[in-house]
Amino acid sequence: MLIDLLFTPMCIGCKSLGSHLCLGCRSAIQIASFDLRSPTLEVVSAGQYEGWLRDSVVRYKSGARSDVYGLSQIVDLMLPRASRIVPAPTSPEKVRDRGFDTIGQLSRQVVRRRRDVTVVPVLRLTRTVRDQVGLTADERRANLTGAIRSIRPVQGDFVVLDDVVTTGSTVQECARALKKAGADRVFVISLCASRNRGYL
Ligand SMILES: [Zn+2]
């Protein structure tokens, strides 16, 4: 029946039926962490921006629900117990264009899976920033400096959630804003990170 096919979950990696992330694809994920510098900031990611992970991130950005389900399971693998997630902010223009807030949606799905995790959506972009695509690392930093702030004071430790970390300038700015608002320790969880980590 077509109706059964529509409601049967499909793996975001290998397209096999039965779950949004099959055991084989799940066990092939290699979680790794690295440090951004000046200031030091730890980033944990599930892989590089390539292959099926990239394809799934592209689909999730265009609104595919099954990819949100599968990718939220990948975030789940990386999140320590009782984490407090702060979604990296999306510009209002992008939210309007897409019709939804990508990272906000991913965060909400993670919380549905993990009752010990909470979402603390305190970061906002304070001004219009240029699209980061095509900018050099220095240009990205300049583009974002002072552009993110917390809407209220915070206390304790936080995990910034982002989908793709490239030069790291966005998540650095998120961490800076959280610390300015009172956060203690901050680290980053990202679905994927740039292929070229040598720039760090
Ligand atoms: Zn699979």
Side-chain angles (χ1 to χ4, degrees):
M1 291 276 288
L2 181 61
I3 194 83
D4 291 333
L5 206 57
L6 284 175
F7 289 101
T8 302
M10 183 190 279
C11 175
I12 60 171
C14 67
K15 307 282 187 285
S16 65
L17 295 177
S19 67
H20 295 292
L21 182 67
C22 78
L23 278 176
C25 290
R26 178 189 298 260
S27 58
I29 291 171
Q30 294 186 325
I31 294 170
S33 76
F34 61 99
D35 284 335
L36 295 165
R37 301 218 180 100
S38 323
T40 302
L41 179 62
E42 185 187 6
V43 179
V44 178
S45 79
Q48 295 178 340
Y49 188 57
E50 61 185 17
W52 65 259
L53 193 53
R54 181 191 58 199
D55 296 343
S56 182
V57 168
V58 168
R59 288 192 303 264
Y60 128 91
K61 285 189 174 187
S62 62
R65 289 300 303 181
S66 59
D67 291 279
V68 178
Y69 297 141
L71 293 172
S72 72
Q73 294 185 32
I74 295 179
V75 174
D76 186 353
L77 296 173
M78 296 187 277
L79 268 178
R81 269 198 57 74
S83 293
R84 293 194 296 163
I85 299 174
V86 180
T90 310
S91 73
E93 293 79 18
K94 275 199 177 147
V95 173
R96 201 165 51 231
D97 289 351
R98 292 193 179 123
F100 63 98
D101 169 6
T102 44
I103 300 169
Q105 193 176 59
L106 183 64
S107 304
R108 284 193 294 279
Q109 190 57 39
V110 170
V111 171
R112 283 192 196 107
R113 298 180 53 80
R114 288 276 299 267
R115 302 190 68 128
D116 60 311
V117 172
T118 49
V119 180
V120 187
V122 290
L123 295 182
R124 299 285 184 278
L125 282 161
T126 56
R127 57 178 166 79
T128 307
V129 293
R130 289 163 63 197
D131 197 321
Q132 298 279 82
V133 175
L135 301 185
T136 66
D138 284 345
E139 285 168 341
R140 282 175 184 237
R141 211 169 296 122
N143 189 35
L144 278 170
T145 299
I148 295 173
R149 68 173 175 84
S150 175
I151 54 171
R152 62 172 172 80
V154 293
Q155 271 189 326
D157 303 337
F158 296 92
V159 178
V160 171
L161 180 65
D162 205 350
D163 40 33
V164 185
V165 167
T166 46
T167 65
S169 54
T170 302
V171 290
Q172 284 280 30
E173 193 60 23
C174 290
R176 189 201 58 75
L178 282 172
K179 290 203 169 151
K180 197 175 170 194
D184 296 324
R185 284 176 302 176
V186 177
F187 78 100
V188 177
I189 283 183
S190 170
L191 290 168
C192 11
S194 164
R195 183 184 180 81
N196 175 18
R197 294 179 185 177
Y199 65 87
L200 306 167

